[in-house]
Amino acid sequence: MKNIYVLLFFTYSTFLYSQNDTIKKDSIILKEVILISESKIKLKQDKGKYIANVINTDFQRTQNTWEGLKLIPMLRVNDNEGLKVKFKNAIVEINGNQIQLSGFELESYLKSLDPKTIKRIEILSNPNASYGSEIEAVINILLSQNSNNYRLASNVTNGTRKKYFNSSNINLNYNLEKLKLYSSYSFNYNQKVNESEIISQTGNNPFLKFDYNENTYQKNHQYYVNLNYEINKNNAIDITTTSSFHESSGNGLGENTNFRRVLETNSNNKKIQLAEIYNYSFNDSTFLKIGAYQVFNTTESSNFATTNTTSIENQKVVSKIPLIVGFGDFSKSTKIGEITIGTRLNFTSINKDNFSIDSNLENNNPYNYNEKIISTYFNNSLIITEKASLSLGLRLESSFINYKFSDTNNIILLEDNLNYSNLLYNINYMYSSEKEWHHAIAFRKQIQRPNYSYLNPFLNLNSDITYFSGDTKIQPSKLFSFNYEVLKKNWSLYIQTGMINDFISTFTDQVDNKIVETYKNFDTVLLSGFGFEYNPTLIKKIWYSRINFDFTYFKIKDKNYPNIKESSPNTTIEVSNIFKIKNYQLNLKYNLTPTYRDGLYKHFQTQRLDFTISKKINNNLSLFIYAYDILKTNINWEETTLTNYFYSSKNYNDQRTFGLSLRWNITGKAYTKNEIEKIEDNTIDRL
């Protein structure tokens, strides 16, 4: 009940004070230009995307860019869960260049970015045809690149969950007239203690119930260098390299009076990404962009488990996944709008050695997967009127796949060739009414490709008593969707509906009396969702609030699983408040997700309350004190919904966190403060 009272207090306070807020913003209006004296973050609609200018806003007062993104409208940023634009998974670009990082690596990288080096954030909730078809949304982070300027900054974070952890980074931003350099290094040391209650039942076996506790240790080094050289006013080269080195180890113990299982895991991962992009400007209306990406990912992991001291399992997996991408874009502004024509070539290869060790004999189950993707696309962005624009896109993608898997002694051999093509489209119409309502309507067909590293049928030790196995004949998902968005001042509303054929998901199943988390296709999924944001200023320059409400519903249909239970809606309520008094700032955030079923799992209620207190000590030094999941209610509890077996995991993933962070930076004497950018009068006031 205490948590519900907290939610009601935040919600009631937000609506109560918003009704009495009659103070107008201090602004100067000159030829449809507004200069805002407050540090609120604003959104601007522009050619199919939303722009948040963050210079001199609360964004630049946060610990790091990851924390700053939590203040951006439309974004859903949750630790350990990635980034979303509303409920769409999002990729991240830096200065328009995609970084091939995900999960922990992406979060770690964004935490290394000094928010004071960020110029603006661009959000594409409906990416055009020049983006890969599997991309649902894009967050583009643009760095400030003022000439004759350097900024050196460091950030040190210390804290404790059940055990101590540390995160440190240093970054350098150095810009000359033609040369721009951004580099960063970060180090993370993490210790976690995960506590679970496990219940399972397979076949005619009795129910098995036990407690499972797992200790994990992680170390991560990450480097990032971006170099932009302007040869002349028409030619520029952009080179980026990202490297990460991650090692982890863990030990788990599951037991009851009649059962004891010990699990040990160790892994090492090395990832190197290179990107080279050449931009050429023929004139003010014609541009050419040519580039390439190379990603080299190597992982070696070993798993060892004993059950009741008699059953012993010993595994080792060595994985090498290179990804090579080349692309070319040609764009030209014409009387019928801006036209972009491009092509993209992807080459992906997976080479995995799956070793199982029995009585000191090592058996290998090798798996090899190769895919070539050829894409061509056409996009036309047309300005219809001063307040309306239309984007039309077509994309043709063809894939050529071959794979081979053999089990121990080559008893079973899986080998096949898969070739397929898809014609995709994207229609996005944005317009503003005279009363400053901002609308966006989009129709889209896209495909979502599988996670390459999951395409492996080898039974891999996962956690507690579960295994993981992929499906080699998995097909990309085909998504047909309709989206509508409307924004005005402190309000925004979105609606989405659609259908997915060959839906891809992980799913817990029973295989030979084992609980196996599989990765596979399902026939059809119907989806719908809507939500809103409300962002009032409750007390001018002191108290800002934000309420998010999201509703999603998925209905799964699959002929192989006729007994899947009916889904139920998934709703999420999130309330954020910012209080600013002199050099102090308090950020308070509460999140509630009630129990729901998505057709595959039943997910039980989760809650979370976080706060951060920051103090600007001087122009170069800031202090942050934070506490996450204060009430210790963010419990990951889910169970299967099928009737022929049962598996339930109630897990607390060591989320409660207390700590402090120091951020220090120095700026070159030649540095000139950014001038306040001119912002057109179609901006939308946001938190």
Side-chain angles (χ1 to χ4, degrees):
M1 284 301 292
K2 183 188 298 183
N3 303 331
I4 300 300
Y5 291 147
V6 172
L7 174 61
L8 292 175
F9 169 75
F10 286 154
T11 307
Y12 177 72
S13 298
T14 296
F15 282 101
L16 178 64
Y17 278 88
S18 64
Q19 302 305 312
N20 297 322
D21 182 17
T22 59
I23 303 175
K24 296 182 180 179
K25 300 175 182 62
D26 293 335
S27 61
I28 303 172
I29 303 178
L30 293 173
K31 295 182 181 180
E32 296 187 341
V33 174
I34 291 183
L35 301 181
I36 300 297
S37 62
E38 288 192 74
S39 56
K40 286 182 64 175
I41 297 175
K42 298 169 60 69
L43 276 188
K44 180 177 72 172
Q45 245 183 13
D46 183 38
K47 296 180 181 179
K49 59 189 173 186
Y50 300 97
I51 298 175
N53 291 280
V54 299
I55 294 174
N56 299 322
T57 68
D58 291 325
F59 180 95
Q60 295 189 326
R61 293 188 59 183
T62 55
Q63 290 169 263
N64 51 60
T65 296
W66 177 265
E67 295 299 322
L69 289 174
K70 295 179 180 179
L71 305 180
I72 302 295
M74 300 177 68
L75 299 190
R76 306 291 187 267
V77 183
N78 293 302
D79 297 329
N80 305 313
E81 295 181 12
L83 297 171
K84 291 186 177 183
V85 176
K86 294 166 296 193
F87 59 82
K88 299 178 182 179
N89 293 320
I91 64 164
V92 172
E93 294 180 336
I94 302 295
N95 291 338
N97 302 325
Q98 183 180 349
I99 53 176
Q100 300 285 340
L101 300 174
S102 60
F104 173 79
E105 292 174 335
L106 177 61
E107 182 176 336
S108 177
Y109 166 70
L110 292 176
K111 285 181 177 178
S112 76
L113 276 179
D114 182 357
K116 288 190 175 181
T117 64
I118 308 302
K119 182 179 182 181
R120 69 176 184 267
I121 309 292
E122 296 181 347
I123 302 171
L124 285 80
S125 58
N126 292 291
N128 60 41
S130 62
Y131 286 91
S133 57
E134 72 279 6
I135 295 175
E136 301 177 36
V138 179
I139 301 169
N140 184 21
I141 300 173
L142 286 95
L143 305 175
S144 297
Q145 294 182 327
N146 292 351
S147 297
N148 302 317
N149 157 37
Y150 75 83
R151 184 188 297 276
L152 177 66
S154 67
N155 192 82
V156 178
T157 299
N158 292 280
T160 180
R161 297 182 181 95
K162 284 208 166 181
K163 294 186 177 180
Y164 164 79
F165 70 89
N166 169 268
S167 176
S168 305
N169 66 73
I170 184 170
N171 55 75
L172 171 65
N173 188 19
Y174 189 75
N175 299 324
L176 299 175
E177 184 177 352
K178 291 189 174 183
L179 183 67
K180 277 76 176 178
L181 169 69
Y182 183 88
S183 61
S184 70
Y185 163 74
S186 63
F187 170 76
N188 292 279
Y189 176 71
N190 258 320
Q191 301 181 83
K192 281 193 172 184
V193 180
N194 302 324
E195 303 169 335
S196 303
E197 297 177 8
I198 307 298
I199 304 175
S200 71
Q201 191 270 333
T202 59
N204 296 320
N205 298 320
F207 273 89
L208 176 64
K209 182 177 180 180
F210 61 93
D211 295 321
Y212 178 76
N213 294 284
E214 184 176 60
N215 294 271
T216 59
Y217 306 85
Q218 298 177 339
K219 290 182 181 180
N220 185 70
H221 301 267
Q222 193 160 298
Y223 308 85
Y224 178 86
V225 177
N226 175 254
L227 184 67
N228 183 279
Y229 180 66
E230 184 180 318
I231 302 172
N232 53 48
K233 66 178 183 179
N234 295 330
N235 294 267
I237 297 175
D238 192 281
I239 299 175
T240 302
T241 178
T242 306
S243 304
S244 66
F245 304 90
H246 179 75
E247 61 179 79
S248 67
S249 61
N251 56 80
L253 174 63
E255 62 180 346
N256 60 23
T257 55
N258 302 311
F259 175 84
R260 180 181 174 86
R261 181 177 174 86
V262 179
L263 179 66
E264 297 179 9
T265 61
N266 292 279
S267 70
N268 291 279
N269 174 266
K270 298 179 182 177
K271 179 183 286 187
I272 298 174
Q273 175 190 340
L274 304 171
E276 309 85 27
I277 298 175
Y278 171 69
N279 291 278
Y280 180 76
S281 173
F282 295 93
N283 50 52
D284 292 339
S285 62
T286 309
F287 305 92
L288 176 67
K289 185 177 181 180
I290 301 173
Y293 297 92
Q294 306 87 36
V295 181
F296 305 95
N297 192 357
T298 302
T299 303
E300 182 174 327
S301 63
S302 60
N303 305 311
F304 179 81
T306 60
T307 304
N308 293 336
T309 70
T310 56
S311 177
I312 299 175
E313 297 173 274
N314 196 347
Q315 297 179 343
K316 183 173 71 172
V317 177
V318 180
S319 171
K320 297 180 180 179
I321 307 179
L323 169 65
I324 311 296
V325 178
F327 67 90
D329 288 322
F330 177 80
S331 62
K332 183 176 179 60
S333 296
T334 68
K335 293 181 180 180
I336 60 172
E338 183 177 316
I339 295 176
T340 302
I341 301 173
T343 186
R344 189 180 183 96
L345 303 175
N346 293 50
F347 301 91
T348 303
S349 178
I350 301 176
N351 300 286
K352 282 194 175 183
D353 289 314
N354 305 287
F355 298 100
S356 56
I357 304 169
D358 185 18
S359 302
N360 295 323
L361 295 177
E362 191 175 88
N363 301 304
N364 187 15
N365 298 26
Y367 176 68
N368 298 287
Y369 175 94
N370 297 282
E371 179 174 26
K372 299 179 179 66
I373 305 172
I374 301 176
S375 307
T376 56
Y377 46 88
F378 167 85
N379 199 77
N380 183 199
S381 297
L382 177 63
I383 305 299
I384 301 174
T385 68
E386 290 184 358
K387 294 188 176 183
S389 64
L390 177 66
S391 177
L392 303 172
L394 288 174
R395 187 181 185 94
L396 176 63
E397 293 194 357
S398 298
S399 298
F400 307 91
I401 299 168
N402 65 79
Y403 66 84
K404 182 178 180 180
F405 172 79
S406 58
D407 74 343
T408 305
N409 300 321
N410 290 319
I411 297 175
I412 298 177
L413 178 65
L414 299 176
E415 187 174 12
D416 204 352
N417 292 283
L418 302 172
N419 302 321
Y420 51 82
S421 296
N422 286 279
L423 180 62
L424 312 169
Y425 59 82
N426 185 6
I427 304 171
N428 188 15
Y429 178 58
M430 304 184 78
Y431 68 98
S432 300
S433 66
E434 294 182 357
K435 295 183 178 180
E436 294 305 323
W437 286 89
H438 304 273
H439 307 264
I441 301 173
F443 298 91
R444 193 177 185 195
K445 177 190 175 184
Q446 64 189 111
I447 61 174
Q448 297 172 327
R449 300 186 179 280
N451 186 323
Y452 295 113
S453 61
Y454 288 179
L455 304 180
N456 182 2
F458 180 72
L459 278 181
N460 195 9
L461 281 167
N462 199 23
S463 65
D464 53 72
I465 58 170
T466 62
Y467 297 79
F468 184 88
S469 178
D471 187 341
T472 55
K473 290 191 176 183
I474 200 164
Q475 296 284 334
S477 297
K478 275 73 71 177
L479 171 60
F480 303 84
S481 62
F482 165 81
N483 295 269
Y484 171 69
E485 300 167 356
V486 59
L487 306 95
K488 183 178 182 180
K489 292 186 177 179
N490 297 324
W491 287 92
S492 69
L493 172 72
Y494 71 87
I495 299 172
Q496 180 177 17
T497 184
M499 178 180 68
I500 306 175
N501 291 329
D502 297 320
F503 174 67
I504 302 173
S505 178
T506 55
F507 180 51
T508 305
D509 207 346
Q510 173 186 291
V511 180
D512 297 330
N513 284 330
K514 295 179 179 179
I515 302 295
V516 178
E517 187 177 0
T518 61
Y519 187 68
K520 58 173 295 175
N521 285 119
F522 292 86
D523 293 342
T524 304
V525 169
L526 303 177
L527 65 93
S528 60
F530 70 87
F532 70 84
E533 287 187 10
Y534 178 52
N535 302 272
T537 299
L538 304 181
I539 300 178
K540 187 178 180 181
K541 297 185 179 182
I542 295 178
W543 186 1
Y544 309 105
S545 189
R546 171 175 170 178
I547 298 175
N548 295 332
F549 175 82
D550 296 297
F551 171 99
T552 55
Y553 178 76
F554 297 89
K555 183 177 180 62
I556 296 179
K557 296 181 178 180
D558 190 284
K559 59 181 179 295
N560 295 318
Y561 297 96
N563 55 347
I564 288 179
K565 291 185 179 179
E566 187 70 22
S567 303
S568 63
N570 174 19
T571 59
T572 300
I573 301 172
E574 186 174 282
V575 181
S576 301
N577 286 273
I578 296 177
F579 303 90
K580 299 170 61 178
I581 302 176
K582 295 184 178 180
N583 287 330
Y584 291 90
Q585 180 169 309
L586 169 65
N587 291 33
L588 203 58
K589 176 180 173 182
Y590 178 77
N591 181 287
L592 171 66
T593 302
T595 299
Y596 69 97
R597 292 190 303 272
D598 62 12
L600 301 180
Y601 296 95
K602 180 179 180 180
H603 304 268
F604 291 85
Q605 176 177 294
T606 61
Q607 301 178 68
R608 179 162 169 162
L609 177 64
D610 301 339
F611 81 80
T612 302
I613 300 175
S614 63
K615 184 184 188 311
K616 183 178 179 181
I617 299 174
N618 55 48
N619 289 332
N620 296 328
L621 185 63
S622 298
L623 171 68
F624 304 84
I625 300 174
Y626 60 92
Y628 300 149
D629 195 22
I630 302 170
L631 304 176
K632 201 175 181 180
T633 51
N634 192 20
I635 298 172
N636 183 19
W637 184 5
E638 59 186 28
E639 65 182 32
T640 55
T641 60
L642 298 182
T643 57
N644 56 325
Y645 71 95
F646 181 82
Y647 174 78
S648 171
S649 173
K650 185 178 181 181
N651 174 44
Y652 188 75
N653 194 26
D654 210 357
Q655 297 289 319
R656 179 187 279 182
T657 308
F658 302 93
L660 62 88
S661 178
L662 280 173
R663 191 182 74 206
W664 168 85
N665 70 81
I666 59 172
T667 302
K669 294 181 179 180
Y671 173 70
T672 302
K673 288 187 177 182
N674 292 282
E675 296 180 358
I676 299 178
E677 294 190 356
K678 293 182 179 180
I679 303 174
E680 295 180 3
D681 196 14
N682 61 351
T683 52
I684 304 142
D685 295 338
R686 317 296 285 160
L687 174 65

